[in-house]
Amino acid sequence: MSARSLPMPVNPALLKHAEQRRKSLENRAADQITRFAGSMTFVYLHIIWFSAWIILGVEHYPYGLLTMIVSLEAIFLSTFVMISQNRADEKRQVLADHQWQTVQEEEQENEELLQLSNQILELTRAIHQMAAAQSAAGAHPAGSNGAQPRSSRGAAGERVDSPTKEPSGGLAPGKSRP
């Protein structure tokens, strides 16, 4: 006659919260009562109980004892409903805290990525400045052997560029600047 159990949560924060709730006997009892009181089995049992009470004539109209029993039951059930609401609020708070923590971690990662991007930008600018300074000074860029392309004709008559070594002045022998 037990009500079906709720599915296990998937969220790690809710799994941890459920494990902590299971450690307390009071929480386990409240969860079971709330689960049963919120089921159709509970409704069917009450229909049978009230019908039997009236049909068997346990007491006569106006059913004072039955009314008192049902009133006490309502008081306790409303308490269990509030306990259930508190449990739902705790779950929502756990989820909110977990999401906040995730947002904070993502924000920290974004800040680190932004810092790395800024460092890459600064390094790129420094490389461009060094390259501009070297070309302005007439020096060859780092890693260059000073080779300049020279044009010649290939077998089919097309133009083929091939590197040649020129003196450090940048001019081939016998050539002058324009």
Side-chain angles (χ1 to χ4, degrees), residues 148-152 159 162 164-167 169-178:
Q148 297 292 327
R150 181 179 73 180
S151 179
S152 63
R159 185 174 169 199
S162 60
T164 59
K165 183 79 173 168
E166 293 186 5
L171 296 175
K175 291 187 180 177
S176 64
R177 288 186 189 224

Side-chain angles (χ1 to χ4, degrees), residues 66-83:
L66 181 61
T67 304
M68 184 184 71
I69 292 171
V70 171
S71 296
L72 287 173
E73 182 183 38
I75 291 169
F76 284 108
L77 287 177
S78 65
T79 303
F80 287 117
V81 167
M82 287 187 284
I83 290 170

